[in-house]
Amino acid sequence: MTLNIPGLVSLTVFFTLTLATGIWASWKSRKDQQNRNPTEMAMVGGRNINVFIGLFTATATWVGGAYINSTAEIVYLPSKGLLWVQAPVGFALSLVIGGLFFVNPMRSKNYVTVMDPLQETYGNMMGTLLFIPPLLGEVFWFAAILASLGATMRVILDIGGSLAITISACTVILYTLLGGLYSVAYTDVIQMVFITLSLWICIPFALGNSATESIYHTATHQSYQDPWIGKIEKEYLGRWLDDFFYLVLGSIPWQTFFQRVLSAASTGQARLISYLSGLGCFAMAIPSVLIGAVAASTDWNQTSYGLPSPFERGESVMILPLVLQHLCPAYISITGLGAIAAAAMSSADSALLSTGSMFAHNIYRKILRKKASETEVLWAMRTSMLVFGAGAAGLAFHSSSVYDLWFLSGELVYALLFPQLCCALFAPSTNTYGSAAGFLVGLLLRLLAGEPALGIPPVILYPACSLVNGTYSQLFPFKTFTVLLTLGTILAVSHLAKALFQRNLLPRSWDVCNIVGGAAIPIPLQQVEKQERLPATALEENHN
């Protein structure tokens, strides 16, 4: 295979357009930030993002390279099929639930990040500990996106994956550093247009290829492989439900979601953005489903790909770019490549911005440098984004392990962060002791369940656990079970600790977290930040 010059030119144009949009958006943000907090402009767009831009950026956050590629792959796999494609419905429900229950309490206190209510309720030390799972999740997510993009470039353009990873990472880091949320939001508009138009342009050519049978027939009838509609075996129902709840509830406690709804101009607009982006996520999965169905209905021996099939060669993960390359004309497949690149970058910049925002706002400002100026916090955010972005790009070269680490860290966010966030927002009587106990229980239960992809054997063998080819497979919904136990532990230990100290069953001198008598009265997060910026004389006057 030779270098695909037209494809390379097409990608160059796309990357240039994206970078130019990001630079323009950064100029616009500087123009708009007069008389506004510069760090709030970078992190939540000055809370002035309109519904149109908000809808595009919220949808683009979830519709990434992994989303469109994995949807097509799951439909194509003979052992899975359409019934195992849970992300479109799962993400849609997640965004609706987030809009219904989480937007109002987060916006009512003018929070900036998802870590704010956790630090306010459980303290800075516990907040720092809870920062670790989402940090790892965002970095591994960024790395996995870059690795996916590099593999796609290698297949279609025949260029080194490392070169594609480096160029993509540099482009994303540059425009995100320059404009913060403004650059990310406005480039998301360009990227969503590319994704939508590019994939839908490819669909008629893929469906009409002579090597492809009718997908309506192959949905329920055996052809070149099992029907692509798929089926859910009775013994796998527990795992299916576990994965579904993980997608629905585990997608809520991420800064990428709250950054969008906190940046809206009003609570009503934030909810509307959340609801509409849920519909957008579902709709954006349709082209990938059709491409997966086409791949399952194709006689690959009649294409330039030949035999054995992608599944037999172990290349199912690349099924979307393979369909574009071998079932569509060259000039059409180039547009499809633009969709994949756009999808990858739309999620990568969101991951980068969220890690930088949480580190600068929750770690640097609240713990490391409590008296830092706004300019200093802004530079801390930019520096952390550069460090995290470079680290993720380095990890992307080891793609075989990055995906597995991303899945594990995402499950840790579900098991650890979701119960903590729910308690902080809806059960304010919980305290640091309960939070710490819940964190420990959730972490142990998840790790002791094992992770076959990383070679971690299970210590806890849940019901229906089976041994297949020397590897244990947990069929019990253990992830959701862990979430429920973590939630129960936080509530129970919080009330137990409070009762023990209030009834003097434990000496109050042991109450290092000050949850009962003699403790300082909690001060709202915004008042703490305001007081930290007041001169000492002003603080004395307020005290008097």
Side-chain angles (χ1 to χ4, degrees), residues 478-500:
F478 70 94
K479 293 191 285 286
T480 304
F481 177 71
T482 300
V483 169
L484 294 175
L485 281 183
T486 302
L487 184 64
T489 300
I490 296 171
L491 294 169
V493 173
S494 292
H495 287 90
L496 177 63
K498 189 174 182 179
L500 290 174

Side-chain angles (χ1 to χ4, degrees), residues 275-328:
Y275 301 150
L276 293 179
S277 60
L279 293 176
C281 284
F282 182 82
M284 291 302 296
I286 297 174
S288 293
V289 169
L290 294 175
I291 288 174
V294 165
S297 310
T298 295
D299 179 4
W300 288 94
N301 194 37
Q302 296 184 37
T303 69
S304 55
Y305 186 84
L307 292 178
S309 67
F311 173 72
E312 294 167 326
R313 295 189 196 185
E315 295 183 349
S316 300
V317 69
M318 299 299 299
I319 198 62
L320 190 144
L322 288 174
V323 167
L324 300 180
Q325 183 182 17
H326 297 284
L327 297 180
C328 298

Side-chain angles (χ1 to χ4, degrees), residues 405-447:
L405 290 169
W406 172 40
F407 284 128
L408 179 59
S409 58
E411 290 178 7
L412 287 176
V413 170
Y414 177 41
L416 303 179
L417 210 61
F418 179 71
Q420 302 273 359
L421 181 63
C422 288
C423 289
L425 292 177
F426 307 114
S429 60
T430 54
N431 52 53
T432 309
Y433 300 111
S435 175
F439 183 90
L440 183 62
V441 168
L443 181 64
L444 287 176
L445 286 177
R446 178 58 195 92
L447 294 181

Side-chain angles (χ1 to χ4, degrees), residues 513-532:
C513 297
N514 289 327
I515 64 169
V516 291
I521 299 174
I523 302 175
L525 184 67
Q526 294 74 24
Q527 189 176 340
V528 171
E529 295 175 2
K530 182 179 179 181
Q531 288 185 357
E532 287 172 353

